[in-house]
Amino acid sequence: MANNLTTTNQRSISNAQPAFSVFMSKENIRNLVQQSVGQNAQSFTTAIISAVSNNPDLQQCNQGSILSAALQGEALKLSPSPQLGQYYMVPFKKKDKATGKQYYVAQFILGAKGYKQLAMRSGQYQDIDVIEIKEGEYKGRDKATGKQLFEFIEDDDKRDSLPTIGYMAYFELLNGFRKTVYWTKNKMIRHADTYSQAFNAQKYDDYISGKIPQDELYKYSSFWYKNFTEMAFKTLLRYLLSQWGIMSIEMQKAIDLDNATVNENGEVSYVEFEDGVNGMPVQDSEDTDKIEVSSAESEEFDFFADDKKE
């Protein structure tokens, strides 16, 4: 059986993780993990098992893509734990146009906390954060400088009860330079509607209002539906840092790897593009990729399942 993966958007990256193949034996995969993460191999494997166990959709993914996504996170010294929110392995459904068969791969998706962690780790940032802006807190722009003005509500209980009207990300460098970016919620919704094929602005209102029938909720698996705030935070932070931040080598690598899948030749495939960099996850799309894994090969590759039994 041919093992040929072709993509319309592929780029090679420097310092890529060692190439892997869906045909690798369990022993070879364990050796790859050991070579890649060294003494952290056990905790690395445990973290992946935990992430996969907590996500039934992720369990449908090709095991190689899960390993690829996890190695990308490990290269940045980030944790796949959903509780930490540093990065996610997101199930992504593809369709082989030649055969009509659907298959799943896992994508490395950097979270907002991952961006903050990498920024602070660089040693250049005094402070960095992203927050929701509540109704009544945005006060327009300063007439002299054009900078946006905010007046935050001090009562936390009252503030939490108010609707979110936008998102604000900011950072301050050690040298005193500051930058703030504000997007309204409507602008963020338009952004998601434009750049994520899995998101529809009109359907989003029905989704949050509970108007989507229970048997159709599976169609709304995009993070933009399931966790709009997290995606908004991540989007605004990435925009802020890529435009005005100090880009450490780790940060550049993170932005390059975000939303990417790596095949066995070490080539990176990006799902979509946004503002000059790869964009948000698309959980359902058609692709010209060709990949076929027989059930026997899938069982041979299923080393995570064996680890769980042990």
Side-chain angles (χ1 to χ4, degrees):
M1 179 181 64
N3 178 27
N4 178 34
L5 282 77
T6 59
T7 57
T8 54
N9 288 308
Q10 291 185 333
R11 286 194 273 168
S12 295
I13 58 171
S14 60
N15 302 320
Q17 291 294 336
F20 64 86
S21 169
V22 293
F23 303 108
M24 292 174 67
S25 67
K26 298 174 189 176
E27 182 178 356
N28 287 339
I29 294 170
R30 293 179 191 276
N31 289 338
L32 172 59
V33 171
Q34 184 66 44
Q35 292 171 10
S36 301
V37 301
Q39 295 180 346
N40 297 326
Q42 183 60 47
S43 59
F44 171 81
T45 305
T46 301
I48 299 174
I49 293 172
S50 176
V52 174
S53 299
N54 291 326
N55 189 338
D57 293 333
L58 198 57
Q59 295 170 23
Q60 300 181 58
C61 291
N62 172 270
Q63 300 276 347
S65 68
I66 294 175
L67 178 59
S68 166
L71 285 174
Q72 291 173 53
E74 181 66 21
L76 296 171
K77 297 181 176 59
L78 298 175
S79 170
S81 169
Q83 289 74 26
L84 294 179
Q86 294 181 351
Y87 79 89
Y88 304 93
M89 294 182 288
V90 179
F92 171 54
K93 182 167 67 178
K94 290 189 174 184
K95 185 176 182 179
D96 186 340
K97 288 184 177 180
T99 64
K101 292 182 179 180
Q102 292 182 336
Y103 60 97
Y104 296 81
V105 295
Q107 277 183 239
F108 171 83
I109 304 293
L110 194 62
K113 293 179 181 178
Y115 273 107
K116 289 192 285 186
Q117 174 72 15
L118 292 174
M120 296 304 294
R121 193 187 295 169
S122 72
Q124 300 292 330
Y125 292 82
Q126 178 71 30
D127 191 16
I128 181 171
D129 208 351
V130 57
I131 62 173
E132 295 176 286
I133 299 300
K134 297 295 185 175
E135 186 177 69
E137 292 186 326
Y138 179 61
K139 300 300 181 181
R141 293 179 179 272
D142 184 289
K143 294 181 180 179
T145 65
K147 292 184 178 180
Q148 291 137 333
L149 302 173
F150 305 92
E151 185 176 326
F152 298 106
I153 296 170
E154 294 184 3
D155 188 321
D156 287 339
D157 291 334
K158 180 181 179 180
R159 188 176 190 276
D160 291 341
S161 68
L162 294 172
T164 297
I165 63 166
Y167 307 91
M168 186 262 280
Y170 66 90
F171 69 71
E172 179 180 358
L173 299 180
L174 293 178
N175 63 14
F177 176 75
R178 301 179 182 181
K179 185 63 183 179
T180 299
V181 173
Y182 170 71
W183 284 12
T184 66
K185 186 171 184 178
N186 286 336
K187 179 175 180 176
M188 192 65 71
I189 290 174
R190 291 195 301 271
H191 173 91
D193 193 46
T194 300
Y195 293 106
S196 174
Q197 298 174 26
F199 181 85
N200 181 284
Q202 294 180 335
K203 292 292 185 181
Y204 178 67
D205 288 337
D206 292 338
Y207 179 83
I208 61 176
S209 300
K211 296 180 180 179
I212 304 298
Q214 189 70 26
D215 60 352
E216 293 185 11
L217 285 177
Y218 72 94
K219 300 178 182 178
Y220 301 86
S221 60
S222 168
F223 270 28
W224 281 109
Y225 289 115
K226 297 167 65 175
N227 197 338
F228 188 92
T229 299
E230 167 67 16
M231 291 303 289
F233 281 2
K234 172 251 182 79
T235 299
L236 202 56
L237 269 177
R238 184 173 61 183
Y239 176 72
L240 173 70
L241 289 168
S242 64
Q243 296 295 315
W244 295 280
I246 292 180
M247 300 292 288
S248 65
I249 294 176
E250 273 192 323
M251 185 67 73
Q252 294 177 45
K253 181 188 293 185
I255 289 179
D256 198 35
L257 290 176
D258 196 10
N259 288 24
T261 55
V262 181
N263 69 15
E264 75 275 19
N265 296 317
E267 297 171 317
V268 182
S269 173
Y270 297 95
V271 176
E272 57 184 62
F273 294 85
E274 166 206 2
D275 297 335
V277 294
N278 43 301
M280 297 297 104
V282 180
Q283 271 85 357
D284 190 356
S285 74
E286 293 188 357
D287 198 285
T288 56
D289 289 3
K290 296 178 176 61
I291 180 168
E292 183 181 356
V293 183
S294 70
S295 58
E297 286 158 350
S298 296
E299 291 172 2
E300 180 184 17
F301 192 77
D302 194 5
F303 78 107
F304 294 119
D306 284 354
D307 283 342
K308 283 189 287 185
K309 292 175 185 176
E310 292 170 1

